[in-house]
Amino acid sequence: MGTPTATMTLPDDPNLRGDVVLPEVIEGREPLVRGDHDFHAITEMVCKVNEAPILQTPNGLKFGIALAAAGAAMFGGYVGYLFWEGPGIWGNNTPVAWAWDIVNFVFWVGIGHAGTLISAVLYLFRQKWRTSINRFAEAMTIFAVACAGSCVALHTGRIWMDYYLFPIPNQMGLWPNFRSPLEWDVWAVNTYALVSILFWYTGLVPDFATLRDRTTIKWRRFFYGFLSLGWRGSMRHWVTYEKAYQILAAFSAPLVLSVHTIVSFDFAVSQLPGWHTTIFPPYFVAGAIFSGFAMVLTLAIPARQWLGLKDVITIRHIENMNKIILLTGSLVGYAYGMEFFMAAYSGNQYEGFTFLNRMGGPYWWAYWIMMSCNVITPQLYWFKKIRTNVKITFVLSIFVNIGMWFERFVITVTSLHRDALPSSWDYFVPVTEVLFLLGTFGLFFFLFLLFVRFFPVIAMSEVKGVMAQANPHWEGYGHAAGHAHEAAHHHTEAPAIGGAIPSTAVAGTGGHS
Amino acid sequence: MSDKKHWGLLAQYENPATVTHAAARVRAAGYEKWDVCTPFPVHGLDKVMGVPDSKLPWAVLVMGITGSTFMLFFQAWAMGWAYPMIVGGKPLFSIPAFVPVWYEVTVLSSCVTAFLANWIMNGLPQPYHPAFASKAFERVTDDKFFIMIEAEDPRFDGEKTKALLQESGATLVEELEA
């Protein structure tokens, strides 16, 4: 049961309900879960996607998986071709030695950051609305980092030598150079990938147990039983589990900031005009969160539509994400302006040239795509009408994705193509790089759609935990529970119960009382 | 109740409120080997049950400090002693350049410990539990709440324990076999 005011204003059709903006009536906030759902309804809503027989996979999803699988297979072939021929198949050359390989890497790793931000930072700030989108966002993080990892592992050229990046004792007594930002990057990205997987899996275990308990099909029972580790929801387990979850969140929050900071060091520590600035770490982190939230929206808006999850991912979630896009987008816009100001104010002619060349040089089009997508687009979110319009939000989120890819292109390629010595000036012309980018998109969507098909896309146990009914002192129980067990209160140790429940229960209720 | 196959009693409750009240009664009756199983952590229930705070943060602290210290010294050793190499004219023990990896490994060792300690301390993975034999218990991960009391508990008395669970608002009481 939601709040009476909420149910009164909602249309009956669940396909519309999530898109209707409620007047701010319920103690200033909308409920996190719309409509008349009890715990069981949440389970049904989320599990029905996973439980459909394989052959009855919705046609849209089948088509999506097939298309993405084709992209992923193409990527596999492309990697084989790269192994065979070497990076000569790319258009990179001196002075543009870093091009789409690094652009794609920074793009993908940046996208991952919103997932960690949602799962960790919002968790620590007790933002309960995150429970509907965190599973999605974490999955997005892991698959995006997988794409980023393949870009950066492939860009080395001699891929079979990548083990040199790790401190493996070898016959030459050599160690990796721990003073190099590129080595820092290896540690940052690998740590980030591993911690994200651990965090994601920890959250998934209780939901795998739900799927295990509901299924009657043998292979599913084995598959989900294996993954759920025999989880039985014991309260004694939940205590340790929640502590572990909290600690993983507490470490992931600074981790996400450090990862993109270190990615920005790859550029900022070098002495190239256009790269060598101290603004890079915060600017990169803001940009990463900006692009990541856009990608969450790009994925979540169709998913809530097709999977019938509009009561869980409501307009409130979309609006909140748009507000974060507005904030981080403005930070990014500010950083663009500040870079220009510093280039002018420093009086350094090389720095000044680089920035003027970005605006009006051979890559002016990339620069202006970036500016219009990243600076103008988020400013539209000042208007509530736009923030709460699902269709416009979807289109704008794609603009942000495009803009953020071009930002990395502008930073990487335009800073390199004009060297200090005009005789070494050159242009970068993509040769087979387009396939590289498309291939990583294929891999990303292939993994993501398989996740949507087989794993619970909403963190069921967490969503149930933020519903009003989850509070033992919820008013709906007040009469019945209180009356029937009045005796219990008198007989048992009153201080232990009376003292413990109210304080903790209040903390757990969020916007509802 | 000396049947060796008898493991204990399982009682089903409908909502967090009734299970919390029932848990308070079970605890007041002095039982020790008992547990509450819920689809999501019911806040305040652990205090009502008297579950002590988790020791997990201590494991994380110890392993985090260990990993962190190791990585600082490892970098100093690898760069300054095992294969001394001067980069950019900086001293061999250039601590600021070691900070990023040092930091990442601190996070890595802490998180891996938190992850592993969570399962180890909870005795998972545990593929079998007597409650899994119950059909009703399949909804513990959905929307039902359960209390189980083990027959090994010194205060366990088949009839009296059953009566306690039924009185406390259980909608179903089942016997479990080991």
Side-chain angles (χ1 to χ4, degrees):
Chain A
M1 267 195 243
T3 326
T5 4
T7 35
M8 269 163 53
T9 50
L10 290 174
D12 282 337
D13 181 3
N15 278 327
L16 289 174
R17 198 157 46 202
D19 287 348
V20 175
V21 185
L22 294 179
E24 302 208 354
V25 278
I26 312 118
E27 293 157 33
R29 290 205 183 179
E30 292 193 28
L32 293 170
V33 177
R34 287 249 184 120
D36 247 343
H37 297 298
D38 55 11
F39 299 134
H40 183 64
I42 297 289
T43 314
E44 289 289 341
M45 197 195 302
V46 178
C47 291
K48 72 167 192 276
V49 185
N50 308 123
E51 285 170 350
I54 296 278
L55 293 175
Q56 289 171 31
T57 306
N59 281 334
L61 195 54
K62 259 189 214 159
F63 178 70
I65 293 176
L67 192 67
M74 188 274 284
F75 186 58
Y78 179 80
V79 172
Y81 178 46
L82 179 67
F83 272 41
W84 190 255
E85 292 287 338
I89 63 169
W90 294 339
N92 304 7
N93 214 332
T94 310
V96 188
W98 273 3
W100 283 37
D101 44 355
I102 295 299
V103 174
N104 294 346
F105 160 66
V106 182
F107 173 73
W108 281 116
V109 83
I111 281 180
H113 284 32
T116 319
L117 193 92
I118 288 169
S119 54
V121 180
L122 298 183
Y123 178 79
L124 297 176
F125 284 130
R126 301 284 186 268
Q127 295 294 308
K128 290 178 183 301
W129 60 273
R130 78 180 255 293
T131 54
S132 302
I133 49 171
N134 71 334
R135 177 68 45 73
F136 252 100
E138 286 165 25
M140 180 194 78
T141 294
I142 289 162
F143 305 141
V145 173
C147 290
S150 26
C151 294
V152 82
L154 294 172
H155 99 288
T156 55
R158 289 188 289 168
I159 298 130
W160 49 94
M161 305 298 268
D162 276 1
Y163 71 91
Y164 264 42
L165 299 166
F166 300 99
I168 301 166
N170 55 62
Q171 78 281 13
M172 291 172 286
L174 262 174
W175 296 103
N177 177 14
F178 286 107
R179 297 193 193 91
S180 163
L182 303 180
E183 178 67 14
W184 303 343
D185 215 25
V186 172
W187 289 84
V189 173
N190 282 304
T191 302
Y192 184 51
L194 185 61
V195 170
S196 302
I197 291 171
L198 298 183
F199 196 27
W200 187 56
Y201 180 65
T202 303
L204 272 165
V205 165
D207 290 349
F208 281 143
T210 304
L211 285 166
R212 170 202 68 198
D213 288 345
R214 286 167 55 89
T215 188
T216 47
I217 300 162
K218 211 171 172 189
W219 75 264
R220 282 177 194 270
R221 206 172 174 82
F222 179 79
F223 178 64
Y224 294 120
F226 186 80
L227 290 171
S228 63
L229 307 175
W231 181 261
R232 59 179 184 273
S234 159
M235 202 54 216
R236 293 174 199 275
H237 291 178
W238 279 119
V239 172
T240 305
Y241 174 91
E242 285 207 293
K243 196 57 93 180
Y245 200 78
Q246 247 171 33
I247 287 175
L248 286 172
F251 277 105
S252 300
L255 177 64
V256 69
L257 302 182
S258 80
V259 170
H260 227 60
T261 299
I262 290 174
V263 170
S264 82
F265 285 165
D266 290 345
F267 298 90
V269 173
S270 74
Q271 310 220 329
L272 191 83
W275 287 4
H276 190 62
T277 57
T278 49
I279 202 176
F280 263 27
Y283 158 33
F284 267 52
V285 171
I289 294 164
F290 178 57
S291 67
F293 269 90
M295 190 54 115
V296 174
L297 284 169
T298 310
L299 297 172
I301 289 174
R304 73 196 272 279
Q305 175 84 34
W306 293 334
L307 309 178
L309 298 170
K310 286 192 171 182
D311 281 350
V312 188
I313 304 175
T314 67
I315 202 76
R316 178 178 165 193
H317 296 99
I318 291 172
E319 193 186 355
N320 282 355
M321 286 192 271
N322 283 338
K323 284 178 183 170
I324 292 176
I325 288 183
L326 173 58
L327 171 74
T328 50
S330 303
L331 285 173
V332 168
Y334 171 79
Y336 293 162
M338 193 45 73
E339 269 188 325
F340 261 88
F341 172 74
M342 290 314 292
Y345 191 66
S346 68
N348 181 315
Q349 55 172 324
Y350 299 105
E351 194 81 15
F353 169 77
T354 301
F355 281 89
L356 286 177
N357 190 43
R358 272 187 193 176
M359 250 197 304
Y363 294 106
W364 61 272
W365 45 272
Y367 178 80
W368 290 107
I369 292 173
M370 166 189 103
M371 284 303 263
S372 43
C373 290
N374 290 354
V375 181
I376 301 167
T377 309
Q379 298 308 318
L380 295 173
Y381 287 139
W382 285 107
F383 304 101
K384 195 179 171 90
K385 279 249 157 59
I386 292 180
R387 273 205 310 268
T388 53
N389 185 315
V390 181
K391 285 180 189 124
I392 296 180
T393 296
F394 180 69
V395 173
L396 293 186
S397 76
I398 289 174
F399 275 121
V400 173
N401 285 323
I402 295 172
M404 283 308 292
W405 189 87
F406 274 98
E407 181 201 289
R408 278 64 177 252
F409 181 83
V410 166
I411 291 173
T412 311
V413 174
T414 65
S415 308
L416 286 167
H417 79 291
R418 287 290 175 266
D419 212 339
L421 200 65
S423 65
S424 54
W425 286 7
D426 199 3
Y427 295 100
F428 162 72
V429 184
V431 185
T432 58
E433 277 96 332
V434 184
L435 293 178
F436 194 177
L437 181 61
L438 288 179
T440 52
F441 268 99
L443 179 66
F444 177 78
F445 280 106
F446 181 58
L447 294 171
F448 194 83
L449 292 173
L450 285 185
F451 153 78
V452 166
R453 181 64 185 83
F454 294 108
F455 285 10
V457 290
I458 305 279
M460 287 180 274
S461 68
E462 288 186 44
V463 169
K464 289 172 193 167
V466 297
M467 289 165 75
Q469 297 96 306
N471 180 6
H473 287 243
W474 181 54
E475 56 207 6
Y477 304 137
H479 187 65
H483 192 67
H485 302 289
E486 226 168 61
H489 270 301
H490 287 297
H491 289 304
T492 53
E493 14 167 31
I497 314 158
I501 307 174
S503 57
T504 40
V506 167
T509 52
H512 315 278
S513 64
Chain B
M1 282 290 142
S2 56
D3 183 4
K4 271 190 183 163
K5 288 185 76 187
H6 189 56
W7 185 83
L9 286 171
L10 178 77
Q12 176 183 313
Y13 297 84
E14 297 302 310
N15 65 50
T18 46
V19 82
T20 306
H21 284 285
R25 289 185 63 166
V26 173
R27 185 188 178 193
Y31 290 98
E32 280 158 14
K33 292 195 165 192
W34 65 290
D35 202 355
V36 184
C37 291
T38 56
F40 55 86
V42 177
H43 289 276
L45 181 54
D46 52 327
K47 297 282 185 304
V48 171
M49 289 170 68
V51 181
D53 277 350
S54 175
K55 301 259 188 308
L56 182 130
W58 293 104
V60 175
L61 181 70
V62 170
M63 288 310 290
I65 291 175
T66 310
S68 167
T69 317
F70 169 78
M71 204 56 204
L72 176 63
F73 283 100
F74 177 76
Q75 290 183 77
W77 174 79
M79 295 287 95
W81 193 84
Y83 202 111
M85 192 160 43
I86 291 176
V87 178
K90 294 180 189 71
L92 287 174
F93 296 101
S94 42
I95 302 269
F98 299 154
V99 168
V101 176
W102 182 15
Y103 178 88
E104 297 301 332
V105 171
T106 309
V107 171
L108 184 67
S109 50
S110 308
C111 288
V112 170
T113 310
F115 177 79
L116 293 178
N118 176 28
W119 308 123
I120 294 168
M121 287 178 170
N122 285 337
L124 298 172
Q126 183 188 351
Y128 179 73
H129 187 274
F132 288 161
S134 158
K135 186 78 189 150
F137 195 70
E138 284 178 0
R139 293 192 75 167
V140 69
T141 51
D142 182 358
D143 61 345
K144 302 291 184 206
F145 302 78
F146 292 87
I147 292 185
M148 40 182 144
I149 304 181
E150 289 179 39
E152 279 191 9
D153 191 290
R155 287 178 187 263
F156 188 88
D157 174 328
E159 293 311 309
K160 265 173 79 178
T161 308
K162 196 169 186 173
L164 171 76
L165 291 170
Q166 271 161 347
E167 266 174 46
S168 65
T171 49
L172 181 84
V173 179
E174 277 182 12
E175 294 190 1
L176 293 178
E177 287 175 355

